[in-house]
Amino acid sequence: MQRSEQTIKKQVSQTGFGKGKAVRDSQNEEEKGYVVSLHSSKRESSRGPPKGEDPTKMAAGTSRIVRYILFAFFGVMILYFVSSSSIPRPKIPTTKGDFSWKGSTEGPAEGEFDGEKETHKTKGAATAPAQVIPRPSAAKPGAEHAPTTPKPSTGLPAPIPAGGKMNATFVTLARNSDLWDIVKSIRQVEDRFNRNYHYDWVFLNDKPFDSTFMKVTTSLISGKTHYEQIPQEHWSYPDFIDQEKARKVREDMAERKIIYGDSQSYRHMCRFESGFFFRQPIMMNYEWYWRVEPSIELYCDVGYDPFKYMADHGKKYSFVLSLYEYVETIPTLWDSAKSFIKKHPEHVVKGNAIDWISDDDGETYNHCHFWSNFEIGNLNWLRSPAYMDFFEQLDRDGGFFYERWGDAPVHSIGAALTLKKEEIHFFNDIAYWHVPFTHCPTGDQLRLDLKCHCNPKDNFDWKGYSCTSRWFETMGMEKPQGWEDQK
């Protein structure tokens, strides 16, 4: 014990501390733990350092550990700040001003306050409020940005016309089971076009829509949504149809493996699309329509309003794909069309497009038709006496059930006979896919301007089974540059 006390006194004297004074100076941090006073030296010395260990080395070891911890801490902090500063972080919305209201770029429209958007319904369908989705705030003017490659002007029309929107709607025939296929189409249409225009969307179904279908589709669409159940008389056999005869036809077509040859629902669908969709009560509120089916793709931006373009240029029907119809499904369709021509010559306009659908001035049908799963058209034309008389002739002849007439050749023949050919428009710049055919715009610069992501080699327009080349010839139009590379 005497030796230990002497050792401690020696350490104290080496640090420069005065005898009889407590430790006041922390000049040497390594010896902080050994500060003593002479008043307590005997009590402390009675414990002494562990046998065989030097207190100075103990202090040095403790100091090294502290230094290592500090170095590690500062290293982690430096890495954190470096990594955080290199990742852009969107502003987290905290106030009403940080929200982008669905359906408007200028603020909440009537009925959209408190996170709700008005959803219209008919015939007892339930409504589903759409959510207001918070989005990162736009960058403020003058904010610094990383260097970018300037993009040349595309020369396309302004997105929103000065005169406002047209009286138009999208229209989709779908069942509840089609939900997850139609939402893909909705996202394509909204992202490529409708997010700038907020046009309405009408859904038609031969059964009531369920709440999930309405809730999900409403949440994705920037315009108002409408859900209507088709009347039974528009989705059933008319009383003049011999159902036993129709059944035998289906059985025969099934044996011959004709596509949809044995399907009753497909026939009801084709008849409905040919003569009834535009007469539904909700559709009577509109002048223009754009038909959208499940699982389609729009490959390019649509940077202008096609409805307004058609109105401004006197167009009443449009297409993006055309092809030959299956002969086995329409053996007597042209016979019915000729009966219409004979009964109603007043409806067959001069300057029509009969040369596109017939190679012998109307004697026979060459089976060309516009593929109607995409079409933008004028509803007043479909509701006109000319088209309605045409449909009534075909409907009475029974080919929707005794054969398997599709709505595509029906619309096409009706348009070719009752419209001037200049009233029919080919949208080269609206890129579209519906299994199994693709319309990818012809023209390298056009595809770049429209931010297209389709492969031009997949373009069907100039292939042998397409009727689009024939359309250009009928119209006396020059084919776009580069069409030979897509044959």
Side-chain angles (χ1 to χ4, degrees):
M1 184 177 294
Q2 232 176 12
R3 187 171 53 84
S4 299
E5 183 175 346
Q6 291 175 354
T7 302
I8 293 172
K9 289 179 179 179
K10 183 177 180 182
Q11 290 174 349
V12 171
S13 65
Q14 287 175 347
T15 61
F17 291 134
K19 183 178 178 181
K21 294 183 179 180
V23 176
R24 296 174 184 170
D25 190 355
S26 59
Q27 181 179 355
N28 191 336
E29 292 291 331
E30 295 179 359
E31 298 173 358
K32 207 170 183 181
Y34 294 92
V35 176
V36 297
S37 69
L38 292 179
H39 297 290
S40 58
S41 62
K42 289 185 179 182
R43 183 173 66 252
E44 296 298 326
S45 64
S46 64
R47 299 177 186 175
K51 187 175 181 180
E53 292 191 14
D54 188 341
T56 305
K57 293 182 178 180
M58 293 174 61
T62 302
S63 177
R64 280 195 300 272
I65 292 173
V66 172
R67 284 200 301 271
Y68 293 156
I69 292 174
L70 290 174
F71 289 155
F73 173 79
F74 285 116
V76 170
M77 293 300 293
I78 290 172
L79 287 174
Y80 171 79
F81 285 115
V82 170
S83 61
S84 297
S85 63
S86 64
I87 301 175
R89 303 171 112 190
K91 180 181 176 182
I92 300 175
T94 56
T95 64
K96 184 179 293 186
D98 291 325
F99 287 80
S100 176
W101 292 86
K102 223 172 143 48
S104 173
T105 58
E106 300 177 353
E110 183 178 356
E112 288 189 72
F113 290 100
D114 301 323
E116 294 185 356
K117 179 182 74 174
E118 182 180 0
T119 303
H120 288 246
K121 63 173 184 175
T122 58
K123 295 189 182 294
T127 60
Q131 298 297 317
V132 178
I133 303 173
R135 300 174 183 169
S137 298
K140 296 180 179 179
E144 294 184 0
H145 296 281
T148 58
T149 302
K151 294 184 179 181
S153 172
T154 62
L156 296 173
I160 300 179
K165 297 195 304 181
M166 302 296 293
N167 182 20
T169 184
F170 295 97
V171 60
T172 295
L173 178 65
R175 290 177 170 166
N176 293 310
S177 58
D178 295 323
L179 173 60
W180 303 113
D181 292 321
I182 193 59
V183 295
K184 299 174 186 176
S185 303
I186 292 171
R187 276 256 53 106
Q188 295 276 333
V189 173
E190 287 289 328
D191 292 348
R192 288 297 196 174
F193 168 72
N194 201 41
R195 63 188 177 89
N196 292 324
Y197 293 88
H198 322 303
Y199 277 110
D200 294 0
W201 205 306
V202 171
F203 293 93
L204 303 172
N205 189 353
D206 63 315
K207 299 290 191 296
F209 283 106
D210 61 37
S211 60
T212 300
F213 187 100
M214 291 187 289
K215 178 174 61 178
V216 173
T217 53
T218 295
S219 71
L220 295 173
I221 295 169
S222 59
K224 294 178 181 178
T225 53
H226 306 263
Y227 304 87
E228 184 154 314
Q229 184 175 347
I230 299 166
Q232 180 68 22
E233 60 269 24
H234 293 171
W235 197 275
S236 59
Y237 292 98
D239 55 11
F240 52 82
I241 292 296
D242 182 342
Q243 295 193 41
E244 180 61 22
K245 178 181 177 180
R247 182 186 64 79
K248 291 179 179 179
V249 168
R250 294 195 303 274
E251 290 177 353
D252 174 66
M253 285 191 170
E255 290 179 1
R256 290 189 286 147
K257 300 187 184 306
I258 295 175
I259 186 170
Y260 302 120
D262 62 342
S263 173
Q264 293 188 73
S265 63
Y266 188 82
R267 285 173 167 81
H268 289 311
M269 181 272 290
C270 290
R271 179 173 179 258
F272 175 79
E273 293 282 23
S274 296
F276 294 101
F277 87 89
F278 49 87
R279 290 190 275 173
Q280 300 306 294
I282 186 63
M283 295 298 293
M284 299 301 290
N285 297 321
Y286 300 99
E287 181 183 0
W288 300 91
Y289 74 100
W290 180 335
R291 178 170 164 180
V292 179
E293 298 215 348
S295 298
I296 61 100
E297 295 236 20
L298 286 184
Y299 288 117
C300 306
D301 286 350
V302 182
Y304 63 98
D305 189 340
F307 299 121
K308 190 171 190 306
Y309 175 88
M310 292 186 67
D312 290 346
H313 293 82
K315 309 294 183 180
K316 294 183 179 178
Y317 188 80
S318 65
F319 71 101
V320 294
L321 285 165
S322 67
L323 63 156
Y324 293 94
E325 179 62 299
Y326 297 110
V327 178
E328 295 85 354
T329 66
I330 55 166
T332 67
L333 175 58
W334 189 245
D335 292 335
S336 291
K338 290 169 71 174
S339 296
F340 162 76
I341 294 172
K342 185 177 180 179
K343 289 181 181 178
H344 298 283
E346 73 278 10
H347 293 328
V348 181
V349 302
K350 293 182 180 180
N352 60 30
I354 196 170
D355 289 343
W356 185 68
I357 59 175
S358 176
D359 300 331
D360 49 18
D361 197 28
E363 185 61 30
T364 60
Y365 177 38
N366 62 21
H367 308 119
C368 277
H369 69 281
F370 308 119
W371 217 25
S372 61
N373 48 64
F374 170 98
E375 55 185 10
I376 300 175
N378 186 282
L379 291 163
N380 291 333
W381 162 63
L382 291 172
R383 293 190 283 253
S384 69
Y387 183 84
M388 286 306 304
D389 287 344
F390 170 73
F391 171 75
E392 292 296 334
Q393 176 68 54
L394 270 56
D395 198 31
R396 281 284 172 177
D397 288 344
F400 291 108
F401 300 104
Y402 299 149
E403 295 178 9
R404 203 230 65 188
W405 295 352
D407 55 282
V410 171
H411 282 189
S412 301
I413 295 173
L417 296 177
T418 66
L419 295 177
K420 295 180 180 180
K421 59 185 179 182
E422 290 82 11
E423 294 178 309
I424 302 173
H425 182 65
F426 169 61
F427 278 111
N428 180 46
D429 52 353
I430 298 182
Y432 176 79
W433 176 87
H434 182 291
V435 61
F437 300 119
T438 297
H439 166 64
C440 187
T442 303
D444 293 343
Q445 188 58 50
L446 178 62
R447 290 193 299 274
L448 293 175
D449 291 342
L450 300 179
K451 301 179 177 63
C452 302
H453 69 280
C454 55
N455 185 344
K457 293 182 179 179
D458 295 333
N459 187 23
F460 180 70
D461 296 346
W462 318 115
K463 304 290 192 292
Y465 201 65
S466 170
C467 290
T468 301
S469 284
R470 178 186 290 272
W471 177 256
F472 272 73
E473 294 165 4
T474 299
M475 297 298 294
M477 298 189 304
E478 184 178 351
K479 295 176 184 176
Q481 185 177 1
W483 73 273
E484 300 97 334
D485 300 330
Q486 297 180 343
K487 292 177 64 176

